[in-house]
Amino acid sequence: MAKAAILEQVGGLTIGEVELADPGPHEVLIDTKACGLCHSDLHFIDGAYPHPLPAIPGHEAAGVVRSVGSEVKTVKPGDHVVSCLSAFCGHCEFCVTGRMALCMGADTRRDQTAAPRIMRADGSAPVAQMLNLSAFCEQMLIHEHACVAIDKDMPLDRAAVIGCAVTTGAGAIFNACSVVPGEAVAVVGCGGVGLAAINAAKITGAGKVIAIDPIPEKRALAETLGATHTVDAMADDAVEQVMKISGGGVHHAIEAVGRQASADLAVKILRRGGTATILGMMPLDCKVGLGAMDLLSGKKLQGAIMGMNHFPVDLPRLVDFYMRGLLDLDTIIAERIPLEKINEGFEKMKQGTSARSVVVFD
Ligand SMILES: [Zn+2]
Ligand SMILES: [Zn+2]
């Protein structure tokens, strides 16, 4: 029996109990130790992105392996692991061409005909596993290709946020943009993802690092993490300010909000040949575009789901960056809360003034 925050119906989470199955051949049972609250969870909780219910959200987690299936080779009981929603099959076109973040994870879920991984505590009905993880639960039963072992010295609450926000933000800089030292980077939105992008831009040796956010507290956090300049996103002259700071536009603009206006802003602040990278989950009917002059100026626009990670390689490196004092996860985490306070945590996220909340399990 495991305690979980269950999405019974759109609007909020209910604390309840579920029963997890025994690990199948390629599955891993993990005692969850921490799970960050991600904006993407909120899209499912408030119904913007539909999902079969009941379901357990949560996808930014770290824990300790309890048991493994007979064929599992990559982790063993006792290992400390970070989970990742980019479960990969290892043999599709995307995997074999090094773009595993695009893999649809074909064999990483259980067959429709097999017993479900998660059931109601009384065994009466299945509970849907969200993003192949369902980490707002004391235990997770996941495919071995959905987690990676990390250094045991790494604190697990800080390891958790690497699983989504930091992988996405840092991955955009390292993998999707391949930022060259000295280039100008602007980040629109300074939540967990945006702050990680700013921190990664600093690590990679970017020149100007411009943080754009409407909230003063978040702009201050951005400066702590490495922003050289900040701009109020709501200022009438926000574009002009970025143009002036960067001497004619940035080489890379990262959108880390998921709103039409912030995506459009990311395109507007590019210099000739610059690239806008959209990370946020925008409402499903949104479209971002490049105009004729943008195209004639060699500007580019790209998505970078989950920072185009190769997480089994990237996550241990990010852990190493933290251990060496390069990656500042302490500033990204605003508060640690028990599972029972999860709805309050999401309310705080809606207000948008603080950085990451992390659920910790004892
Ligand atoms: Zn997330
Ligand atoms: Zn694949």
Side-chain angles (χ1 to χ4, degrees):
M1 210 84 82
K3 189 168 65 174
I6 305 168
L7 186 61
E8 299 280 356
Q9 53 193 12
V10 164
L13 299 168
T14 311
I15 305 298
E17 301 238 291
V18 294
E19 189 72 51
L20 277 73
D22 292 330
H26 285 284
E27 291 175 345
V28 183
L29 184 64
I30 296 164
D31 289 326
T32 316
K33 296 298 179 189
C35 182
L37 273 58
C38 176
H39 218 104
S40 314
D41 291 313
L42 198 53
H43 292 313
F44 293 109
I45 294 168
D46 66 19
Y49 282 67
H51 197 279
L53 302 181
I56 302 173
H59 60 268
E60 186 176 85
V64 178
V65 175
R66 174 177 285 262
S67 59
V68 301
S70 56
E71 301 296 319
V72 170
K73 301 280 193 298
T74 52
V75 294
K76 59 184 185 306
D79 277 355
H80 291 196
V81 292
V82 177
S83 67
C84 186
L85 65 88
S86 306
F88 60 97
C89 75
H91 50 71
C92 73
E93 177 197 338
F94 304 110
C95 284
V96 300
T97 54
R99 297 170 296 162
M100 47 190 295
L102 298 178
C103 174
M104 300 295 280
D107 313 323
T108 60
R109 292 173 188 83
R110 281 196 177 182
D111 246 309
Q112 295 283 11
T113 53
R117 285 179 181 160
I118 312 173
M119 295 286 286
R120 296 252 190 219
D122 61 6
S124 61
V127 175
Q129 189 174 39
M130 204 175 266
L131 297 173
N132 229 348
L133 295 172
S134 282
F136 290 142
C137 181
E138 289 174 327
Q139 293 192 323
M140 292 186 279
L141 179 63
I142 64 178
H143 193 276
E144 66 171 315
H145 287 174
C147 67
V148 62
I150 57 160
D151 187 338
K152 281 187 181 169
D153 289 334
M154 178 71 183
L156 287 169
D157 55 352
R158 273 142 281 181
V161 297
I162 291 180
C164 180
V166 175
T167 290
T168 302
I173 297 290
F174 298 143
N175 301 329
C177 298
S178 304
V179 172
V180 171
E183 286 183 332
V185 176
V187 177
V188 186
C190 298
V193 173
L195 290 173
I198 287 161
N199 199 169
K202 179 188 173 187
I203 292 170
T204 202
K208 302 280 188 336
V209 181
I210 307 165
I212 307 171
D213 197 282
I215 296 168
E217 290 91 333
K218 287 202 171 157
R219 296 201 296 272
L221 285 174
E223 284 180 335
T224 306
L225 284 160
T228 59
H229 299 75
T230 64
V231 170
D232 179 354
M234 303 307 275
D236 291 337
D237 65 342
V239 174
E240 289 73 22
Q241 285 187 52
V242 177
M243 289 296 170
K244 196 166 165 217
I245 295 164
S246 58
V250 296
H251 299 85
H252 306 277
I254 315 284
E255 194 276 354
V257 185
R259 288 210 187 108
Q260 182 80 54
S262 53
D264 292 340
L265 178 60
V267 171
K268 279 188 202 140
I269 57 178
L270 293 177
R271 78 168 57 208
R272 291 171 66 81
T275 302
T277 302
I278 312 299
L279 299 176
M281 280 173 80
M282 296 199 289
L284 289 166
D285 56 353
C286 277
K287 269 208 172 94
V288 196
L290 294 173
M293 274 313 293
D294 295 325
L295 294 165
L296 289 170
S297 313
K299 295 179 187 173
K300 298 177 201 74
L301 176 63
Q302 64 178 356
I305 185 164
M306 289 298 291
M308 291 301 280
N309 68 78
H310 340 85
F311 81 83
V313 173
D314 297 356
L315 264 54
R317 285 183 184 171
L318 291 167
V319 165
D320 184 51
F321 283 161
Y322 174 79
M323 303 295 277
R324 287 159 56 198
L326 296 169
L327 185 66
D328 178 1
L329 301 172
D330 303 309
T331 301
I332 288 178
I333 298 176
E335 61 165 6
R336 292 159 182 81
I337 56 173
L339 190 65
E340 286 74 13
K341 292 253 161 75
I342 196 163
N343 285 318
E344 290 154 56
F346 280 112
E347 281 307 315
K348 205 168 282 181
M349 181 187 289
K350 285 183 202 167
Q351 293 157 17
T353 49
S354 65
R356 218 71 172 168
S357 302
V358 177
V359 168
V360 288
F361 298 84
D362 38 33

Tab-separated table of all heavy atoms in Angstrom, residues 88-95 103-105, ligand 2:
chain	number	residue	atom	x	y	z
A	88	PHE	N	12.823	5.908	-22.906
A	88	PHE	CA	13.241	5.654	-24.290
A	88	PHE	C	13.269	4.149	-24.561
A	88	PHE	O	13.558	3.354	-23.678
A	88	PHE	CB	14.631	6.257	-24.539
A	88	PHE	CG	15.709	5.689	-23.650
A	88	PHE	CD1	16.534	4.666	-24.112
A	88	PHE	CD2	15.891	6.159	-22.363
A	88	PHE	CE1	17.523	4.130	-23.291
A	88	PHE	CE2	16.869	5.618	-21.541
A	88	PHE	CZ	17.684	4.614	-22.004
A	89	CYS	N	12.974	3.792	-25.815
A	89	CYS	CA	12.917	2.365	-26.158
A	89	CYS	C	14.299	1.826	-26.496
A	89	CYS	O	14.593	0.661	-26.276
A	89	CYS	CB	11.950	2.138	-27.315
A	89	CYS	SG	12.585	2.655	-28.926
A	90	GLY	N	15.160	2.685	-27.066
A	90	GLY	CA	16.525	2.264	-27.383
A	90	GLY	C	16.712	1.746	-28.799
A	90	GLY	O	17.847	1.508	-29.215
A	91	HIS	N	15.625	1.566	-29.554
A	91	HIS	CA	15.805	1.004	-30.898
A	91	HIS	C	15.007	1.698	-31.996
A	91	HIS	O	15.042	1.266	-33.141
A	91	HIS	CB	15.492	-0.499	-30.894
A	91	HIS	CG	14.169	-0.844	-30.259
A	91	HIS	ND1	12.970	-0.551	-30.844
A	91	HIS	CD2	13.885	-1.420	-29.074
A	91	HIS	CE1	11.996	-0.949	-30.049
A	91	HIS	NE2	12.517	-1.471	-28.966
A	92	CYS	N	14.297	2.765	-31.695
A	92	CYS	CA	13.533	3.453	-32.748
A	92	CYS	C	14.449	4.437	-33.482
A	92	CYS	O	15.599	4.644	-33.105
A	92	CYS	CB	12.331	4.191	-32.153
A	92	CYS	SG	12.753	5.679	-31.228
A	93	GLU	N	13.909	5.040	-34.529
A	93	GLU	CA	14.693	6.003	-35.322
A	93	GLU	C	15.285	7.097	-34.434
A	93	GLU	O	16.453	7.468	-34.577
A	93	GLU	CB	13.791	6.642	-36.390
A	93	GLU	CG	14.499	7.709	-37.198
A	93	GLU	CD	13.560	8.630	-37.961
A	93	GLU	OE1	12.416	8.229	-38.221
A	93	GLU	OE2	13.990	9.742	-38.285
A	94	PHE	N	14.474	7.619	-33.514
A	94	PHE	CA	14.932	8.742	-32.698
A	94	PHE	C	16.037	8.317	-31.736
A	94	PHE	O	17.008	9.028	-31.533
A	94	PHE	CB	13.742	9.364	-31.953
A	94	PHE	CG	12.651	9.775	-32.882
A	94	PHE	CD1	11.436	9.109	-32.919
A	94	PHE	CD2	12.855	10.831	-33.762
A	94	PHE	CE1	10.443	9.485	-33.797
A	94	PHE	CE2	11.870	11.215	-34.655
A	94	PHE	CZ	10.653	10.541	-34.679
A	95	CYS	N	15.861	7.151	-31.132
A	95	CYS	CA	16.885	6.658	-30.210
A	95	CYS	C	18.210	6.420	-30.929
A	95	CYS	O	19.259	6.850	-30.468
A	95	CYS	CB	16.419	5.369	-29.532
A	95	CYS	SG	15.189	5.648	-28.237
A	103	CYS	N	11.704	10.001	-28.549
A	103	CYS	CA	11.206	8.624	-28.574
A	103	CYS	C	9.811	8.571	-27.953
A	103	CYS	O	9.537	9.225	-26.959
A	103	CYS	CB	12.162	7.719	-27.803
A	103	CYS	SG	11.567	6.017	-27.628
A	104	MET	N	8.944	7.780	-28.547
A	104	MET	CA	7.587	7.612	-28.007
A	104	MET	C	7.561	6.549	-26.913
A	104	MET	O	6.512	6.240	-26.356
A	104	MET	CB	6.599	7.256	-29.117
A	104	MET	CG	6.496	8.305	-30.219
A	104	MET	SD	5.816	9.883	-29.646
A	104	MET	CE	4.078	9.485	-29.629
A	105	GLY	N	8.688	5.968	-26.613
A	105	GLY	CA	8.795	5.031	-25.491
A	105	GLY	C	7.956	3.779	-25.662
A	105	GLY	O	7.332	3.297	-24.704
B	2	ZN	ZN	13.095	4.991	-29.045
